[in-house]
Each structure stands twice: as structure tokens, then as C-alpha cells.
Amino acid sequence: MREVLARHTSRELAEWQAYERFAGPVDLAYDREALAGIHEQLQYLNRLLGAAHFTDKKNPNNPVPEPEHYPRPNELYRPSSETEDDN
């Protein structure tokens, strides 16, 4: 902590605090965003494969459930009123 205080001014620290309140914690957001995208793509791929290989005239329903949106880090910290406007 001493090193952080020695290298940064209180103004810079206050700006980072304000940014984190707005956008959520600064961490491995890029990695999490990429993994969330991969997770959603795998859901879509499984859904397509389920429709292609496990549906027929006797069983028209796809056994794989509908894909779900995986929440991103920035969506976890937004108030519910903002998320309702996006949909």
C-alpha cells in the first residue's frame, strides 16, 4: 500500500474509485468477456447439434434448452432500471 501511495496522487486514486463505482472493479474483465462469449457460442452450437441430430417426426422437440445470456461483469453492477432499457 505504501508503494501505491508513493506512486499515485490522491486525485488519481479518487478517479479510479469513481471509475470502479461506474464500471465495476478493474480486473480480468477482458478474459471474463471472452469466456462469456465462448460459453454462449457453445450453448448455440449445442442447440444446433441437438436440433440436427435428435429431432425427427416422432420427437420434434429439441432436447437441448434455449441458450441463456451469460451476464458480463459490467452488467452485474448496473442498476436494474438500466438493464431493462437495453432489452
Side-chain angles (χ1 to χ4, degrees), residues 59-72:
N59 187 15
N61 298 327
N62 192 337
V64 181
E66 287 284 333
E68 295 180 12
H69 175 72
Y70 192 84
R72 304 311 200 259

Side-chain angles (χ1 to χ4, degrees), residues 15-66:
E15 288 174 353
W16 278 111
Q17 285 177 330
Y19 179 80
E20 284 189 345
R21 275 195 300 263
F22 171 75
V26 178
D27 55 2
L28 302 173
Y30 177 80
D31 295 342
R32 290 183 180 142
E33 178 71 29
L35 289 173
I38 292 169
H39 178 85
E40 288 180 352
Q41 290 299 319
L42 286 173
Q43 287 184 31
Y44 288 118
L45 188 66
N46 286 336
R47 178 89 174 149
L48 290 173
L49 288 172
H53 295 289
F54 297 107
T55 57
D56 54 15
K57 292 180 182 178
K58 293 180 183 177
N59 187 15
N61 298 327
N62 192 337
V64 181
E66 287 284 333

